[in-house]
Amino acid sequence: MHLDNELKFSAAQAITDDAYSSNVIDRGVAGALGDDLYLVCRVHTAFVSAGGATLQIKVRTDGDLSGGNLASGNDLLMSKVLAVADLAANTEVFKVKLPAGLERYIQVYYEVGTSTFSAGKMDAFLVPGVEERP
């Protein structure tokens, strides 16, 4: 699958503690991305934690990007809390359709709990559709 660089939040981004995605997507104006876009978050490199760290992925949206990250943005969508065992390489850990009503900017936030990770990388991107599995 070929991915448009303008639709990537993270590309092999190392996650050891709480972090914002490397990229923020600017929709420009309301509705600029169109309908039926899906966020896919896939583990690029397996996560490792001696302390049993967990990961929750959040989609943040805001109309203002004055601070460079969406720290004051609204958490629009959230994954379940993922344990280290859920974070094996090449595993899609969060796949969700973006809802209507997004503000201008969209960013992914990786919230690490319990401990920290000593290794692990994520890919996160938008696609116009997802493969349905039986």
Side-chain angles (χ1 to χ4, degrees):
M1 165 183 9
H2 175 71
L3 297 174
D4 184 336
N5 283 331
E6 297 297 316
L7 298 179
K8 291 181 184 176
F9 291 103
S10 299
Q13 181 177 343
I15 307 295
T16 56
D17 208 340
D18 292 350
Y20 289 95
S21 58
S22 305
N23 297 315
V24 174
I25 293 179
D26 180 355
R27 299 181 41 189
V29 293
L33 287 178
D35 296 327
D36 296 327
L37 280 177
Y38 291 78
L39 169 69
V40 177
C41 297
R42 180 175 51 218
V43 177
H44 181 275
T45 305
F47 280 70
V48 177
S49 174
T54 61
L55 178 68
Q56 186 173 37
I57 302 166
K58 299 180 176 185
V59 178
R60 290 194 170 165
T61 185
D62 200 339
D64 179 33
L65 187 62
S66 58
N69 287 314
L70 302 184
S72 62
N74 301 310
D75 289 337
L76 186 64
L77 302 165
M78 298 178 219
S79 72
K80 68 177 187 171
V81 175
L82 303 160
V84 175
D86 299 322
L87 300 168
N90 299 314
T91 303
E92 290 181 354
V93 293
F94 190 42
K95 185 171 17 180
V96 63
K97 182 179 179 185
L98 293 181
L102 295 170
E103 295 183 57
R104 179 172 177 174
Y105 299 100
I106 310 166
Q107 189 169 33
V108 173
Y109 182 68
Y110 304 102
E111 187 171 277
V112 176
T114 309
S115 182
T116 58
F117 293 104
S118 57
K121 294 181 181 180
M122 289 292 298
D123 295 325
F125 48 89
L126 295 176
V127 293
V130 294
E131 178 182 321
E132 295 294 328
R133 296 193 175 140

mmCIF file of all heavy atoms in Angstrom, residues 15-17 46-50 53 116-120:
data_model
loop_
_atom_site.group_PDB
_atom_site.id
_atom_site.type_symbol
_atom_site.label_atom_id
_atom_site.label_comp_id
_atom_site.label_asym_id
_atom_site.label_seq_id
_atom_site.Cartn_x
_atom_site.Cartn_y
_atom_site.Cartn_z
ATOM 1 N N ILE A 15 8.517 5.462 20.634
ATOM 2 C CA ILE A 15 7.658 5.857 21.756
ATOM 3 C C ILE A 15 8.210 5.195 23.016
ATOM 4 O O ILE A 15 8.208 3.970 23.129
ATOM 5 C CB ILE A 15 6.198 5.386 21.541
ATOM 6 C CG1 ILE A 15 5.644 5.825 20.192
ATOM 7 C CG2 ILE A 15 5.315 5.841 22.692
ATOM 8 C CD1 ILE A 15 5.485 7.308 20.007
ATOM 9 N N THR A 16 8.711 5.996 23.941
ATOM 10 C CA THR A 16 9.173 5.458 25.220
ATOM 11 C C THR A 16 8.327 5.996 26.372
ATOM 12 O O THR A 16 8.169 5.341 27.391
ATOM 13 C CB THR A 16 10.657 5.797 25.477
ATOM 14 O OG1 THR A 16 10.833 7.211 25.398
ATOM 15 C CG2 THR A 16 11.555 5.095 24.457
ATOM 16 N N ASP A 17 7.810 7.203 26.201
ATOM 17 C CA ASP A 17 6.974 7.850 27.200
ATOM 18 C C ASP A 17 5.903 8.643 26.452
ATOM 19 O O ASP A 17 5.858 8.602 25.225
ATOM 20 C CB ASP A 17 7.822 8.774 28.085
ATOM 21 C CG ASP A 17 7.243 8.956 29.484
ATOM 22 O OD1 ASP A 17 6.032 8.699 29.683
ATOM 23 O OD2 ASP A 17 7.984 9.377 30.385
ATOM 24 N N ALA A 46 8.405 -3.871 17.685
ATOM 25 C CA ALA A 46 7.789 -4.356 18.930
ATOM 26 C C ALA A 46 8.180 -3.505 20.134
ATOM 27 O O ALA A 46 9.317 -3.041 20.244
ATOM 28 C CB ALA A 46 8.185 -5.807 19.173
ATOM 29 N N PHE A 47 7.219 -3.347 21.034
ATOM 30 C CA PHE A 47 7.449 -2.585 22.257
ATOM 31 C C PHE A 47 8.008 -3.499 23.341
ATOM 32 O O PHE A 47 7.653 -4.676 23.417
ATOM 33 C CB PHE A 47 6.139 -1.948 22.734
ATOM 34 C CG PHE A 47 5.794 -0.698 21.985
ATOM 35 C CD1 PHE A 47 5.409 -0.740 20.652
ATOM 36 C CD2 PHE A 47 5.861 0.537 22.614
ATOM 37 C CE1 PHE A 47 5.097 0.411 19.962
ATOM 38 C CE2 PHE A 47 5.546 1.705 21.925
ATOM 39 C CZ PHE A 47 5.162 1.640 20.592
ATOM 40 N N VAL A 48 8.871 -2.911 24.187
ATOM 41 C CA VAL A 48 9.504 -3.640 25.287
ATOM 42 C C VAL A 48 9.399 -2.771 26.536
ATOM 43 O O VAL A 48 9.647 -1.566 26.476
ATOM 44 C CB VAL A 48 10.997 -3.930 24.982
ATOM 45 C CG1 VAL A 48 11.661 -4.624 26.152
ATOM 46 C CG2 VAL A 48 11.138 -4.742 23.702
ATOM 47 N N SER A 49 9.038 -3.409 27.663
ATOM 48 C CA SER A 49 8.996 -2.695 28.931
ATOM 49 C C SER A 49 9.218 -3.674 30.069
ATOM 50 O O SER A 49 8.485 -4.648 30.201
ATOM 51 C CB SER A 49 7.645 -2.004 29.130
ATOM 52 O OG SER A 49 7.575 -1.440 30.430
ATOM 53 N N ALA A 50 10.218 -3.389 30.892
ATOM 54 C CA ALA A 50 10.478 -4.223 32.067
ATOM 55 C C ALA A 50 9.442 -3.959 33.156
ATOM 56 O O ALA A 50 9.193 -4.807 34.002
ATOM 57 C CB ALA A 50 11.879 -3.965 32.602
ATOM 58 N N ALA A 53 4.672 -1.409 31.071
ATOM 59 C CA ALA A 53 4.053 -0.184 30.575
ATOM 60 C C ALA A 53 2.832 -0.493 29.702
ATOM 61 O O ALA A 53 2.726 -1.567 29.116
ATOM 62 C CB ALA A 53 5.067 0.633 29.778
ATOM 63 N N THR A 116 7.628 2.990 31.632
ATOM 64 C CA THR A 116 8.041 3.485 30.320
ATOM 65 C C THR A 116 8.443 2.301 29.447
ATOM 66 O O THR A 116 8.614 1.186 29.941
ATOM 67 C CB THR A 116 9.240 4.450 30.428
ATOM 68 O OG1 THR A 116 10.321 3.772 31.076
ATOM 69 C CG2 THR A 116 8.868 5.703 31.200
ATOM 70 N N PHE A 117 8.568 2.562 28.159
ATOM 71 C CA PHE A 117 9.036 1.541 27.222
ATOM 72 C C PHE A 117 10.520 1.754 26.965
ATOM 73 O O PHE A 117 10.986 2.891 26.872
ATOM 74 C CB PHE A 117 8.281 1.634 25.894
ATOM 75 C CG PHE A 117 6.823 1.276 25.994
ATOM 76 C CD1 PHE A 117 5.847 2.258 25.983
ATOM 77 C CD2 PHE A 117 6.431 -0.056 26.088
ATOM 78 C CE1 PHE A 117 4.505 1.927 26.068
ATOM 79 C CE2 PHE A 117 5.090 -0.394 26.187
ATOM 80 C CZ PHE A 117 4.128 0.595 26.178
ATOM 81 N N SER A 118 11.267 0.666 26.811
ATOM 82 C CA SER A 118 12.678 0.778 26.445
ATOM 83 C C SER A 118 12.854 0.650 24.937
ATOM 84 O O SER A 118 13.914 0.965 24.400
ATOM 85 C CB SER A 118 13.511 -0.276 27.168
ATOM 86 O OG SER A 118 13.023 -1.579 26.891
ATOM 87 N N ALA A 119 11.825 0.197 24.246
ATOM 88 C CA ALA A 119 11.856 0.094 22.782
ATOM 89 C C ALA A 119 10.421 0.076 22.279
ATOM 90 O O ALA A 119 9.500 -0.261 23.017
ATOM 91 C CB ALA A 119 12.585 -1.171 22.346
ATOM 92 N N GLY A 120 10.266 0.416 21.024
ATOM 93 C CA GLY A 120 8.959 0.372 20.372
ATOM 94 C C GLY A 120 8.777 1.551 19.447
ATOM 95 O O GLY A 120 9.136 2.674 19.789
#
